[in-house]
Amino acid sequence: MNITIVGAGAWGTALAISLATNHRVTLWARDSAQIEAMQNTHYNQHYLPEILLPADLKLSSDFSAALAVADLVIIAVPTSALRRILHQLVQLSRRFSVVWLCKGFEAETAKLPHQVVAEVLPEGFRYGVLSGPSFALEVARGFPTALTLASSDQEFARSTAQALH
């Protein structure tokens, strides 16, 4: 599966590291200097400095290029950036399967992430949330963890959870 992870913080990087063993993964960050540093050092010095990035993990600061062949988009940004990222996805004129990791609520509207997603994404997008008791560093190190993928689309939740397992 071609997976693009939007957001190269600790959680996005940890998932990219974990998923790169079985999938073609691109990790996107808006900060081109951060991506360049990660390409040069093979570490995310700011968020997970002790974990070596897999050699086959692709890194990009070009949003359109990072999503060009994505089958699944995992959004690993703060809730405050979720709406903006969703609008960018919609503007690409492709339908993606989308999973978000953010928690909390949107400060301006007091909406939860699932409400923002339902409001922004048009028909044709399949989506759900990935959440559970875990720590980014433990996921990056390959420690056992249990996460849940929830969606109102049961088939999407089942098949995506199985693919990510």
Side-chain angles (χ1 to χ4, degrees):
M1 178 182 287
N2 291 307
I3 300 171
T4 296
I5 299 177
V6 175
W11 197 209
T13 302
L15 274 180
I17 291 166
S18 177
L19 295 174
T21 58
N22 295 317
H23 302 281
R24 292 169 300 281
V25 178
T26 300
L27 179 61
W28 175 87
R30 63 187 165 114
D31 183 351
S32 59
Q34 178 188 9
I35 291 296
E36 184 177 341
M38 291 168 66
Q39 289 170 330
N40 291 335
T41 67
H42 305 287
Y43 288 90
N44 186 335
Q45 294 290 347
H46 189 68
Y47 293 102
L48 289 174
E50 59 275 5
I51 306 294
L52 181 67
L53 300 174
D56 55 352
L57 175 63
K58 295 178 185 167
L59 303 166
S60 179
S61 61
D62 181 327
F63 193 77
S64 295
L67 291 153
V69 297
D71 301 311
L72 175 65
V73 178
I74 298 176
I75 302 175
V77 300
T79 301
S80 61
L82 178 61
R83 185 178 297 272
R84 177 179 50 82
I85 294 297
L86 293 169
H87 280 296
Q88 286 180 264
L89 285 177
V90 171
Q91 291 172 2
L92 293 176
S93 300
R94 279 188 60 213
R95 297 296 184 250
F96 300 94
S97 292
V98 176
V99 170
W100 67 90
L101 311 174
C102 43
K103 301 174 186 172
F105 63 92
E106 187 177 52
E108 301 80 25
T109 65
K111 291 183 179 180
L112 296 170
H114 75 277
Q115 294 170 310
V116 174
V117 172
E119 185 176 294
V120 175
L121 291 184
E123 290 290 323
F125 281 83
R126 298 178 84 187
Y127 54 81
V129 60
L130 184 65
S131 188
S134 59
F135 294 98
L137 184 56
E138 292 177 357
V139 170
R141 287 186 171 152
F143 291 0
T145 191
L147 299 173
T148 298
L149 199 148
S151 174
S152 59
D153 179 339
Q154 291 181 354
E155 171 54 27
F156 171 76
R158 187 196 58 73
S159 63
T160 304
Q162 185 175 13
L164 297 179
H165 185 267

